[in-house]
Amino acid sequence: MLGILFNDKECKELDYVLRKELDEMLLDLNDSRLDGDIKTAIAKRYKIIFRMYARIASPKELSRYALNMRTYR
């Protein structure tokens, strides 16, 4: 396990970057042009980024990005 200390500005920047990445992956997951294998890979990455975001986000903010993962398998 690794630990990192962030100041307020760095924490806000990390929050922003993770939210933008989650937004992009949500768009990709809803794109009908992508096939199942690609969507599966994106869904796996989404889970990792989501868990990172869950460490710094409030439950209200986090609920915006919660997925029913059965939809994307």
Side-chain angles (χ1 to χ4, degrees):
M1 177 176 284
L2 298 175
I4 299 175
L5 293 174
F6 291 112
N7 64 29
D8 241 6
K9 187 175 182 179
E10 292 167 336
C11 196
K12 288 178 184 177
E13 183 65 27
L14 180 62
D15 178 72
Y16 174 79
V17 170
L18 292 175
R19 280 188 292 114
K20 291 303 168 192
E21 189 64 27
L22 289 170
D23 287 336
E24 287 294 321
M25 286 188 280
L26 282 175
L27 287 174
D28 291 341
L29 287 170
N30 290 316
D31 189 347
S32 62
R33 297 174 293 173
L34 299 178
D35 69 354
D37 291 337
I38 294 172
K39 285 188 178 184
T40 301
I42 293 169
K44 286 180 183 178
R45 187 162 188 262
Y46 189 93
K47 286 182 187 179
I48 294 168
I49 302 298
F50 180 80
R51 286 192 310 246
M52 290 172 63
Y53 184 61
R55 294 175 186 257
I56 60 173
S58 70
K60 182 179 179 181
E61 292 172 349
L62 196 58
S63 66
R64 177 176 176 214
Y65 295 101
L67 284 180
N68 181 358
M69 293 310 292
R70 282 184 239 151
T71 306
Y72 300 108
R73 286 187 183 167

